[in-house]
Amino acid sequence: MPSARTPAPSEPLEPRRLLAASPLLIEGTEGADVIRVRQTGSAVWVARNGSLRVHAARDVSSIVVEARGGDDLFIADPSVKLPVTVYGGDGDDHLRGGPNRDRLHGEAGADRVYGGAGNDQLYGGEGTDTVSGGDGDDVLVTLGGDADRLAGNGGRDNFWADAGGTDPATADALADLAAGDVRHAVPSFMSYRIRQSGSTYRTVPVPTELAGQELDDPVAAASVTRWADVSDGPLFASGGPSEHDIDQNLAEDCYFMAGLSSIAKLAPEVITDNVVELGDGTYGVHFRREDQDVFLRVDGDMPASGSGALAYAGLGEERSAWVPVIEKAFAFFRESQGTYVSINWGKMSEAYDALGLPSLGRIFSTTGFDRDGGLLEGIAMRLARGDSMLYSTLDVQPQGSRLRPDHILMIDRVIRNDAGQAVSVVLRDPHKNDGAVVADGVNDGYITITAAEAAAWMEAVSWCRL
C-alpha cells in the first residue's frame, strides 16, 4: 500500500464503457508480487508492486486475481465488499480474503490461505499448505499431495481433508474445530466400475490429486448425443439448495429425486455438507453404505440432448449443478455398474440411506393413520414436527387420477379449511411438472389433491425424522 513518505504512482478513475458491472481482473507476474485491494463507497483501489490503480466501484462485480509464479502476497482489506477469487499459481503464496464470500486457491507451493470473514471456499492445492477459515461458514479442501494444516476458526465449517490412505504421513491435521463443524477425512475416492458389453466391467481408479482431470462418465442412454460441462456454473444457488432445484427428466429415479427434494427443503445443510466443489472443476460426494463412508469424485460433464439441455437431472435455480452432480455420483455408487440405467426404480429410503439419515417410517394403508385422526391429520402431524415425507402412488392408478402411476412425490404441506379441518394435501412431482392434467393452471409440479383422492391413489406414505 502507498505510504505517506513515498506516495505510490496512481491513476485517475478509469472511464468504463461497459453497461453492466463485470469482474475486475488483476494479473501478477512470475516474480514475488504484493497485491492489496481496498474499497471505498465509489472506488476500488488496487496496489500492485507499489503501483496504485483506482476503478469505479459501480463497474466492478467481483475481483479476480491471477497471481502467477513467485512467492506472492495478496490481501483484501476488510473494506472490500465485493467477492474475491484468487489463484496463487506457483510459489509459496500468502492469500488473505475479505469479508465477503471469497474463493482462494493456493495452487502449487507451500501456501498460507486465510479466508477472513464471510462464507469462503478455500483450496490448498499442491504442496504443504496452511488453510484457515476465519469467521463464517467456510469450505476447506486440501485433498491430494502433502500433509496440510487446516483450522476452522469461527463459524460452521466443512472440511475435506486427506485421511492418509496408504501413507499416514500424508494425513492432514485439523485444528480449532467447533462442535458444528463437518469433517470428511478422505482416504481415497471410490473406483469406478463401469459396465461394458454384456456382463463385463471396467474398473477405473479415481485419484485424490486435484488437477482438473477429465474423469470417466457413467454409460448413458443411446438418445444422449453429447455431454455438457456444468462446472462453469455454481454448485448451489445463492440461497442454497432447495426443492425447486429438482428436475428429474430421463432416469426413472423418482424415489431418489423426491427424497432429495424433501431433504433440500427441510434440511439443506445435509446437501451442502455432503456435496462439494473440489476447486478444479470436479466435485466430491460423501455417501454411506451400511454405516461405511464412501467418497466419490465426478467431473462436470453431464449427458445432454442435441439442444444442450441436460438429459437426466436438470440444473436448478441460478443454473446450480448439485442435482446432476449427486445423480451422476449415485450412478456409480448405487449398484457399482457405472450406468444411468442402474439407478432406475428403487426404494423410498434410498436418498436418506445414501446420505446417512435415519431409517424411514412407512404406512401402506390409510387405516394406519386412524390413531392420528386420519391420513391428512397424520401427515400434518409429522410435517409439523419437521419430518421429511414422501407419497407413493399405486402401480395402476384409478380412473380420474391426476398422478403418475408407480411414482414417488414429495409431500409439501396440508391445507385446512376455515374450520381448521385438513381437506387437501399438496405434493411436489420431481419431474417439475404436473403431468397430463394441470388443474391449477400452473405447470410447476405442485399438485393439490383432496383427502379422498390421497387415500384412493396412495400406495404408501413414508417419513424420516431429520
Side-chain angles (χ1 to χ4, degrees):
M1 295 292 287
S3 70
R5 296 179 61 184
T6 310
S10 64
E11 299 179 8
L13 289 171
E14 292 183 328
R16 303 288 289 272
R17 298 181 180 179
L18 296 176
L19 297 178
S22 59
L24 172 63
L25 176 62
I26 303 169
E27 295 182 286
T29 69
E30 294 303 322
D33 301 305
V34 177
I35 302 171
R36 299 174 185 258
V37 179
R38 63 186 176 91
Q39 183 177 351
T40 65
S42 61
V44 176
W45 305 71
V46 179
R48 182 182 58 181
N49 301 331
S51 176
L52 181 65
R53 299 193 73 179
V54 186
H55 306 264
R58 66 178 180 274
D59 295 333
V60 181
S61 60
S62 63
I63 296 168
V64 179
V65 179
E66 295 273 5
R68 299 183 179 173
D71 300 341
D72 305 308
L73 170 65
F74 170 83
I75 297 177
D77 187 82
S79 63
V80 177
K81 307 304 182 188
L82 296 165
V84 174
T85 300
V86 182
Y87 300 94
D90 293 341
D92 302 339
D93 305 311
H94 183 185
L95 312 178
R96 295 181 67 90
N100 209 307
R101 189 185 297 264
D102 302 321
R103 294 174 59 99
L104 308 181
H105 301 254
E107 300 192 308
D111 306 306
R112 289 176 292 162
V113 180
Y114 178 74
N119 301 334
D120 306 308
Q121 293 172 261
L122 310 175
Y123 303 95
E126 298 177 46
T128 303
D129 305 306
T130 300
V131 181
S132 302
D135 292 337
D137 300 340
D138 306 307
V139 175
L140 300 86
V141 179
T142 55
L143 296 176
D146 301 316
D148 305 299
R149 297 182 62 84
L150 299 85
N153 307 136
R156 183 180 184 274
D157 302 310
N158 189 357
F159 298 87
W160 291 73
D162 285 309
T166 57
D167 183 1
T170 64
D172 296 335
L174 277 62
D176 197 8
L177 303 176
D181 289 344
V182 183
R183 285 158 274 185
H184 306 272
V186 182
S188 62
F189 287 113
M190 173 183 157
S191 294
Y192 298 159
R193 185 169 178 262
I194 303 175
R195 187 169 188 172
Q196 307 297 288
S197 59
S199 59
T200 62
Y201 291 85
R202 177 169 58 96
T203 299
V204 182
V206 179
T208 56
E209 289 74 21
L210 306 180
Q213 301 98 324
E214 184 172 337
L215 305 175
D216 282 57
D217 302 307
V219 177
S223 59
V224 169
T225 58
R226 56 179 291 193
W227 293 74
D229 186 2
V230 302
S231 64
D232 59 347
L235 179 59
F236 303 113
S238 54
S242 80
E243 70 274 24
H244 305 297
D245 297 328
I246 303 296
D247 184 10
Q248 180 181 334
N249 293 328
L250 188 58
E252 300 287 356
D253 59 350
C254 58
Y255 66 96
F256 188 62
M257 290 289 140
L260 290 179
S261 181
S262 186
I263 294 166
K265 174 185 171 73
L266 298 174
E269 70 279 2
V270 172
I271 305 298
T272 55
D273 286 350
N274 291 290
V275 185
V276 68
E277 288 183 79
L278 294 176
D280 67 336
T282 67
Y283 305 89
V285 177
H286 185 178
F287 284 143
R288 285 82 172 172
R289 194 192 305 276
E290 297 179 353
D291 296 326
Q292 297 296 312
D293 295 315
V294 181
F295 296 96
L296 293 102
R297 182 183 175 205
V298 297
D299 64 20
D301 292 334
M302 302 297 165
S305 65
S307 67
L310 298 192
Y312 293 94
L315 296 174
E317 301 290 297
E318 301 174 15
R319 299 187 60 76
S320 55
W322 73 268
V323 184
V325 164
I326 199 171
E327 184 185 51
K328 183 176 184 178
F330 195 60
F332 286 117
F333 167 80
R334 188 190 184 215
E335 301 288 347
S336 295
Q337 293 188 14
T339 67
Y340 278 97
V341 74
S342 69
I343 62 174
N344 285 345
W345 311 108
K347 300 176 182 178
M348 299 169 86
S349 61
E350 291 195 45
Y352 304 89
D353 294 341
L355 291 168
L357 294 170
S359 299
L360 294 185
R362 187 176 302 135
I363 291 178
F364 289 92
S365 170
T366 58
T367 59
F369 292 97
D370 286 350
R371 66 180 181 178
D372 301 322
L375 172 60
L376 295 197
E377 290 295 346
I379 291 173
M381 179 268 289
R382 289 167 176 81
L383 289 176
R385 73 185 185 192
D387 288 4
S388 169
M389 300 197 71
L390 304 180
Y391 178 98
S392 174
T393 67
L394 294 167
D395 292 356
V396 178
Q397 283 290 285
Q399 184 72 27
S401 172
R402 290 178 283 113
L403 302 181
R404 290 177 167 95
D406 198 12
H407 194 48
I408 299 173
L409 304 89
M410 180 190 89
I411 300 178
D412 183 66
R413 65 190 184 276
V414 169
I415 297 175
R416 297 184 181 275
N417 62 17
D418 292 342
Q421 298 170 317
V423 293
S424 57
V425 62
V426 180
L427 309 175
R428 184 187 186 276
D429 193 305
H431 278 291
K432 209 171 184 176
N433 63 66
D434 295 9
V437 179
V438 183
D440 60 0
V442 182
N443 193 17
D444 58 0
Y446 286 91
I447 305 168
T448 302
I449 60 176
T450 67
E453 291 169 336
W457 302 344
M458 165 191 135
E459 177 189 57
V461 167
S462 68
W463 62 91
C464 176
R465 187 81 60 90
L466 297 181

